[in-house]
Amino acid sequence: MSNALETLLRRSYARRLPSQQWAQFTAEYLQNSSITDQANDLCDLLLKHTFSSTAIETSLIHNYLQYAVLGDRFDTQGKPRKEVNSGSLIAIGTFLKKISKLPRNTISIQPHQWAVLLRVTHAALEEVRITTLFPSSSDDEWKSVADDLLSLLADILGNGLYQIINSSDGNELEPQELGWQSDVNLRREQSSLLLPNTNMQSAPQFSFDPEATQDLDMLEETVVLDEDETKPAMDAEASQTSEQYDENNVKTRIGVRNAITAAEIFMKCLEDEDVLNMLKADGAEGRKARLLAVLLPENQTPTSPAVANSTTVQKLLVAIKQLSESVSEKHKIVHMKYHELEDEGTARAMPSAGLMGLIYHIAQIRPSLPDKDIVERMMKLQRIKGAFDESFYLELWLAGLTGLAEATQACSSAQIHMESGKEDAGPSKSNHNCTLKTVTDQLLWKTLVLVKIPSLIQQFQEMKSSMMEEITLNSENIADKQQEGEGEGEDAQIKHNALESSLFELQAFSGLLNACNSNSCCSLLFTPASWAESGGNNKNADEDELMMMLNDMSDVDDGLSNPAVIKAVNSVSSRDIFQLIVQVCLEDKFLRLEVAKELLTKVSPSSDKEGAQKTETADDINALLDTSMLDFGGELTFDTTSSNENENEHVLIKQNLEQRIKVIEENPTSFGTSDLMNIAMLSLNNLKTVTDFILTFIRQKADSLDLRSMAPICESLSQNPCFLDLIFQLYQPSDLLGPLEFLCNDWNRSNYTMDMDDNNEYGSQGQDVDDLQSSFEDFGKVWYLINLLISKFDLSGDLSTAFVNPTGYCYTFFLQHPSVYDSGMADDHIEQFISMWMTALFGNDGISDALLRSSTPQLLIKVSPTLFERSMYAYEAGEMGLQNLLGGIAYFKEKFLSYVLVPSAMSWLCTELLYNKSVAAITIMRELLQSEDIPDIFVLLSASQILGTFDALDIRYRTEAEVNEDDTQSPDISAITPYAQEIYSRISATCQRQHVQERGSETGIIGPENLFGRARDMLRYMVKSGRSMYMRDVEADTFASSHPQDNVPDEQAHYLDMSIFKAALEIGGNRWFMLSIVEEVLEAGQAGGAVRAAEIGSCLVATPLSVSVNAFTSTLDMLRCLLVDIVPSVLACSSPIHDSFFQGQTLGVFISDCLVLTKGFSIDDATNNQAQAVEVIGKQFLRQLATAANFRQKKRDSEDEQPSPKALGPFASCSDEVIKSPLFRGVIKGLKSNTILFEKWPNISV
């Protein structure tokens, strides 16, 4: 070693020269020196003096070492610079060689120095791979370095896991809230560099106390989270000034961070495919055995929970175990991957309650969350769980298929129930036994599985790539289509990506898959009208008979409904769910063709003999997993011999849809659009194609104000509410309502153009009255659809989610309706308009061509309540006869005017009936609803408010017998009742015709008397059960005992129904809702199910359940209620004796999950109002909690030490006994367990 290098180093250090100046002098010396290749000597010199230092604080020598290896590519904190210049004096490969040979006993004795080396190594490998550090011809060299480096990292991690023992005298560090080194006095460094002839062997060695106590995290007495535990690994050399901790404790904490950093470097090395292949190659058993012996020793458990609970460490341990085990052993790990707060029974349940809650929310709450929000929640959930992509995707499939199996079972039960009650009924081709609700539910879940989940997985992977997330060991970029094989021959194997692996895992759940394949009546309900009379929906008919009927199709057939297409659609609609999943993933290029074939051939073909087919499921997996709740036995029964035929069917359907789309583009019709939508609902793999076309078509026509082309599309959508559910599951409300809003805001009569051809379906020649009426009627079709969407999806609470222009007609109308213009209050134009229409309707003048020309549908809709009010008051005042009144109302039965009454005029009539019990109002209602000219959509849009008014008046409108038996009705109500019965008859007939379940006819209906009890029961079932509905048989006795009043089967298909929680939140309010969840979480912490309680509870809090005026801050309000009100009050009222530490820990995990999962929470700096609000609430809660804990724990010498009430916040009401109780300590332990939370706020100690 050159003495000149050491002399230069000592003098530079003595003069405190910056790293750049020392490096400049050293580089000049190396260039002028006659001795070549002195990089090894320089590296040895720097390492020697690094380990010879007697201080534990930041040292200038560390900066010299970092600069010598990294140059100026990274700053002193290990972060990349914008300008990348070399400037390094020591090659990274040389540095890795040297540190790999250092004595292993220094890992535990001198952790401060190793922290510096690990930081430099982590930064060095950030942008380069080990294999690129050496010449391509020297494979043995890089393999040797990689082997030594992995061995070193394993020793560091093993030391952190199994050999770290902490010492504590019971005192706690004060929290430093402003910065890692704020108010810390750094001691001046005493360096051995100032002494000549210093060597490593003469360096003083710190003692290691084997009798020290366990890690502080293991002690229940731990109340305050020390600041050191929240520092990042790069700050390992920061000073430790507190005299309350001995040197062993300081070294232990740094050793913990070193172990986690070593795990991060290890995982980065495994991302290098060459390194991974080195460990997988033949002859690598020795390497893997040594890694296993160090990281997973037999009969030894980790002594440091801080290391063992790290997500990175857990991923690494699973990866190392997978490298040394067979495929079947790997599958066991995937199935059993759950570790946090394990408690008996529920810890192994898949999917997790939090992910199941998210998936059920997507299927049951519409409009659905934006895809971006869903994917962000998925990212957070995966990080909280520490799950691999493969197991995470598997849980997504399991959650979706669980809901589909429940919906399929409910649909089948409805068929059995209906058939048993109609034994004498004759067969009918057009009849089916399910309500629109059950069929829609099944279709929504099937769409979720076949359309939504694949799309979310794709976006999930894209977001990870865009954020430069590290790809885990068993995850590849699933969006890239790989080559069909890298090699040929018998030994060539296909390398599966994460999605492909999840499908292989999913295939083992044959019971769940078979439960999703039961026949339903969807094919009957959604059979295209052009096929109905041909018998194309009769799948039970013999094939020859079917072909004969198809050949006899009507001459008016458009040529699109040929027998081959009908057969293909029927075949696809009844195909096995797993086949459809594989087909969808293959079409989206998530799967390679050979992998898809392998998936479909893994299952033996079905046999005609009952019981001949058996699934080969490993007994050891069944022994480890409680699959009885999920796998009902049996196996997949699809036939894999007709793959070519299946592919031809998909191609044929796609071609047919393309032809139909082309026809609609040329000549839009309601009939053709309905057929297109029905085919899409029968072959859901084509649903996205159809919905994209419809939305694009509507947007294009709205931009050009082409009302005539939009009208038939809107009419068809209004007649297919199930298809609207599917649209709002896949898209946001503004995607459909935005174009409709634009047209309604800006359309006028001059925009309406009519075809002058002989084929004009309106039969008008120019601007005559029929032409005008047709334009009004077409506008009505658009207006009906807007009202249906607002009503069906309850968008009136927050119109900003539906409409774009807050000053436009649509936005202001739905914000203010119904509005009535009193005489003299309206402006001259509106008053003149009202007078003209009053004269035309009730003055025997009739609606003239000139009146229609001078009118707009928008203004007529706005003044319709005023027309009703003035005419009805004139009748009641004797100024108008009844016949005259009804004659004027009769005009509104016409198609070109009926829509103007929805919703404002009908709402005004209901209000008049409710408050004045007006016979005239209900007479007008009956006159309108009894007319056959009134469309069904008019009745359905008015039904809810009309029946609600009847219920409010306590009118017995269902049966005449009930009315005769009731002698207590007032004369006013008795006069109204006959009209109400006639109106109800029309509503009932319409609901039956449209397959809508009548209000109040459901069995097991959730009402005000049992809503809150059902919500609590549902939450409790989800905590206790392993897999939602599939615990019904297990908990049959519990269910029956808790619902003795239910003598009929429960209509609710799902144990987890987010709509019930939505209703409970809206009616009960935030505080009741939050308090109920917290009580169940605490109960689960005592009785079992802690993991699932925290997961499902945080999902209900952090996922928006309703659309309201405060939709943007609804979850924010719930978070504020939880942290500011519920948690402090629950803690203040807790029992220091009876409430346990584990209950508090469960509550702490629940709180941290709620904070992390709330929209806006991000590790990065807040960029919008929502994120800033979440940051303020969370930071204030943690700070006040820390202040209360520290204040109560320490002894106060005087009253002056008492902090201000603002500093304590809501925790000021907590007594000393509560703060010192196990429950309070458990809450803090639960908060500490969330690494994401303290990665966001590392400087706040709790």
Side-chain angles (χ1 to χ4, degrees), residues 858-914:
Q858 295 93 327
L859 186 56
L860 188 55
I861 292 171
K862 185 179 292 187
V863 303
S864 60
T866 305
L867 297 178
F868 272 43
E869 182 204 44
R870 295 188 182 184
S871 60
M872 197 176 72
Y873 286 174
Y875 163 73
E876 292 177 345
E879 299 174 2
M880 182 186 302
L882 178 61
Q883 295 300 323
N884 194 12
L885 173 65
L886 296 181
I889 297 299
Y891 283 104
F892 291 102
K893 300 177 184 179
E894 301 292 336
K895 291 183 179 180
F896 74 97
L897 282 184
S898 61
Y899 65 90
V900 304
L901 306 182
V902 179
S904 54
M906 295 302 296
S907 178
W908 183 87
L909 287 175
C910 289
T911 302
E912 188 70 15
L913 176 62
L914 178 62

Side-chain angles (χ1 to χ4, degrees), residues 408-616:
T408 303
Q409 183 181 13
C411 196
S412 300
S413 301
Q415 292 184 44
I416 296 174
H417 179 70
M418 294 293 292
E419 289 171 2
S420 62
K422 298 182 180 180
E423 296 179 355
D424 297 335
S428 175
K429 296 180 181 180
S430 59
N431 290 339
H432 58 87
N433 301 320
C434 295
T435 64
L436 185 64
K437 177 182 177 181
T438 56
V439 176
T440 302
D441 185 43
Q442 185 183 25
L443 197 57
L444 283 167
W445 279 103
K446 202 168 183 179
T447 303
L448 175 70
V449 172
L450 297 179
V451 182
K452 191 75 172 182
I453 289 181
S455 175
L456 291 176
I457 291 177
Q458 183 182 28
Q459 296 177 65
F460 176 80
Q461 196 68 33
E462 290 174 352
M463 179 174 287
K464 291 183 68 175
S465 301
S466 65
M467 296 174 62
M468 299 183 67
E469 288 272 347
E470 293 87 353
I471 304 300
T472 54
L473 176 64
N474 54 349
S475 171
E476 298 177 2
N477 188 350
I478 62 176
D480 294 336
K481 186 175 181 180
Q482 303 175 1
Q483 298 295 330
E484 294 190 359
E486 297 180 357
E488 297 181 357
E490 295 181 357
D491 296 333
Q493 293 183 352
I494 300 175
K495 183 179 179 182
H496 298 145
N497 60 43
L499 179 61
E500 293 169 345
S501 299
S502 70
L503 292 178
F504 279 102
E505 295 291 338
L506 177 63
Q507 197 176 43
F509 294 85
S510 57
L512 176 61
L513 294 171
N514 286 333
C516 299
N517 293 328
S518 301
N519 291 330
S520 68
C521 50
C522 292
S523 58
L524 294 174
L525 183 61
F526 302 123
T527 299
S530 60
W531 302 358
E533 296 184 358
S534 68
N537 60 330
N538 186 5
K539 293 188 291 184
N540 297 324
D542 182 80
E543 183 176 356
D544 293 337
E545 182 181 358
L546 174 62
M547 296 303 296
M548 292 175 61
M549 289 188 296
L550 295 176
N551 290 331
D552 294 335
M553 293 177 66
S554 173
D555 294 336
V556 298
D557 184 19
D558 54 10
L560 297 175
S561 302
N562 59 74
V565 174
I566 297 176
K567 181 181 178 182
V569 172
N570 286 333
S571 175
V572 170
S573 66
S574 60
R575 190 166 297 168
D576 179 274
I577 187 64
F578 189 75
Q579 277 186 302
L580 293 175
I581 292 174
V582 172
Q583 178 68 31
V584 168
C585 293
L586 183 62
E587 292 177 355
D588 292 338
K589 299 182 180 180
F590 296 161
L591 291 179
R592 289 162 290 168
L593 181 60
E594 67 273 16
V595 177
K597 292 180 179 179
E598 184 181 358
L599 282 167
L600 296 180
T601 56
K602 278 284 185 180
V603 181
S604 303
S606 59
S607 174
D608 294 336
K609 296 183 179 180
E610 182 178 0
Q613 189 180 18
K614 298 181 180 179
T615 305
E616 298 179 359

Side-chain angles (χ1 to χ4, degrees), residues 43 116 231 384 490 543 636 645 698 944 978 1012 1191 1209 1245:
C43 187
V116 178
K231 296 179 183 179
I384 290 173
E490 295 181 357
E543 183 176 356
L636 301 182
E645 181 181 353
I698 290 178
S944 178
F1012 300 117
F1191 169 68
S1245 299

Side-chain angles (χ1 to χ4, degrees), residues 1135-1155:
S1135 171
I1137 300 177
H1138 298 97
D1139 294 328
S1140 68
F1141 178 83
F1142 192 74
Q1143 285 180 289
Q1145 186 178 1
T1146 306
L1147 180 59
V1149 172
F1150 162 72
I1151 295 171
S1152 63
D1153 287 351
C1154 289
L1155 187 55

